[in-house]
């Protein structure tokens, strides 16, 4: 028997790699790690802005750096993480946001469809603005 | 009975976290596909410099870009704070970890503001 005092201060010891033992925990940690790649890409984006502001030569040299195989590999990894972030965040929306229309709750499938439609719209607009216009 | 009111920045930070998550999810994938993969691999032609400069010169673009950078950085800082604390059981160092992560996000946001305000003269 342990005393109530001991029970109060008992902390189950967690192994340092507790998250590696189960798939769902590992996905949780991967999702959390995606934020590091979000931050990394923000830095790349700001470097692009700076290079563009500095003139055509700086812009060309930025594009050359981005075309380096190591950068492409890094960006592919970053893309996988950013997509993991985007998909998990989008799928969370119907749970985080209850939409009501004329007093009735809009089904979460409809909310989710709206989220993906909005995402598609933003994506198409940015692609048009940057490379098609 | 009302519980004593504690004023903490946590709700505000969670709000910024959420907003940052939304903008990162909406905007970053297409930019990363374009500038990180499709343009470097030659699938899509890079926008020419004059066009990109014109887009970036527009005040709305710069305002939006600042919002995206600041919110996404706070989002990342918030998540990394808890990732580090939970994954490596470092919760007892929360004040120090929070200072470092939010500090880095604030520094990044300030750098973004400075760049977007001054670089286009």
């Amino acid at each position: 028997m342990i005393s109530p005092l001991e029970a109060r201060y008992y902390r189950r010891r967690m192994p340092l790699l507790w998250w590696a033992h189960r798939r769902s925990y590992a996905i949780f940690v991967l999702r959390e790690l995606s934020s590091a790649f979000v931050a990394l890409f923000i830095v790349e984006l700001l470097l692009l802005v700076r290079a563009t502001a500095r003139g055509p030569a700086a812009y060309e040299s930025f594009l050359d750096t981005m075309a380096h195989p190591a950068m492409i590999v890094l960006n592919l990894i970053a893309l996988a993480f950013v997509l993991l972030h985007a998909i998990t965040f989008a799928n969370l929306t119907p749970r985080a946001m209850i939409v009501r229309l004329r007093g009735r709750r809009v089904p979460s499938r409809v909310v989710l469809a709206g989220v993906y439609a909005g995402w598609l719209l933003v994506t198409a607009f940015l692609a048009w603005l940057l490379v098609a216009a | 009975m009302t519980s004593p009111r504690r004023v903490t920045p946590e709700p505000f930070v969670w709000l910024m976290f959420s907003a940052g998550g939304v903008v990162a999810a909406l905007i970053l994938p297409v930019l990363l596909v374009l500038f990180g993969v499709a343009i470097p691999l030659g699938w899509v032609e890079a926008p020419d410099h004059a066009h990109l400069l014109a887009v970036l010169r527009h005040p709305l673009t710069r305002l939006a870009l600042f919002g995206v950078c600041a919110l996404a950085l706070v989002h990342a800082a918030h998540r990394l704070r808890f990732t580090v604390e939970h994954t490596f059981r470092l919760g007892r160092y929360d004040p120090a970890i929070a200072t470092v992560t939010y500090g880095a996000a604030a520094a990044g946001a300030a750098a973004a503001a400075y760049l977007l305000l001054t670089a286009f003269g």
Side-chain angles (χ1 to χ4, degrees):
Chain A
M1 275 290 280
I2 54 167
S3 71
L5 192 72
E6 279 176 304
R8 198 169 154 195
Y9 289 102
Y10 174 71
R11 292 281 182 277
R12 202 165 89 86
R13 285 189 61 79
M14 295 270 279
L16 199 56
L17 296 179
W18 59 266
W19 43 271
H21 299 302
R22 215 188 254 191
R23 217 176 106 91
S24 56
Y25 295 167
I27 289 174
F28 166 78
V29 169
L30 285 180
R31 199 195 68 200
E32 297 296 283
L33 276 181
S34 69
S35 56
F37 291 93
V38 167
L40 169 78
F41 185 62
I42 293 294
V43 173
E44 289 180 25
L45 206 55
L46 289 171
L47 291 175
L48 168 67
V49 170
R50 192 177 70 159
T52 310
R54 283 186 173 172
Y59 176 60
E60 285 303 320
S61 123
F62 175 84
L63 291 180
D64 285 346
T65 308
M66 293 296 269
H68 191 281
M71 278 307 285
I72 295 178
V73 170
L74 180 67
N75 281 324
L76 281 172
I77 296 168
L79 179 62
F81 275 99
V82 167
L83 285 177
L84 177 68
H85 163 79
I87 292 164
T88 52
F89 225 77
N91 291 347
L92 212 66
T93 318
R95 285 193 234 178
M97 197 169 69
I98 308 292
V99 183
R100 283 177 199 284
L101 209 64
R102 282 189 218 130
R104 270 208 232 158
R105 186 178 165 175
V106 177
S108 53
R109 248 193 254 167
V110 178
V111 175
L112 202 57
V115 169
Y116 277 103
W119 181 69
L120 212 61
L121 211 67
V122 171
T123 300
F125 170 73
L126 287 176
W128 169 80
L129 179 72
L130 289 167
V131 293
Chain B
M1 278 274 291
T2 51
S3 54
R5 241 181 80 129
R6 277 192 310 139
V7 179
T8 80
E10 292 297 313
F12 178 69
V13 176
W14 277 99
L15 193 71
M16 299 258 289
F17 164 77
S18 226
V22 172
V23 296
L26 278 178
I27 288 169
L28 299 191
V30 59
L31 295 178
L32 187 44
V33 165
L34 283 176
F35 288 102
V37 182
I39 293 171
L41 288 176
W43 297 345
V44 174
E45 206 175 317
D48 62 56
H49 177 259
H51 172 69
L52 198 57
L53 189 63
V55 169
L56 285 173
R57 271 225 171 104
H58 198 285
L60 269 182
T61 310
R62 283 188 277 156
L63 190 67
L65 209 50
F66 172 71
V68 169
C69 291
L71 288 173
L73 287 174
V74 172
H75 170 88
H78 191 65
R79 230 174 201 178
L80 283 174
R81 168 185 167 198
F82 291 116
T83 305
V84 169
E85 288 173 15
H86 294 165
T87 312
F88 304 109
R89 299 178 312 176
L90 294 173
R92 57 184 181 271
Y93 300 115
D94 177 61
I97 292 169
T99 307
V100 171
T101 49
Y102 298 132
Y114 177 77
L115 179 69
L116 291 164
L117 281 173
T118 61
F120 296 91

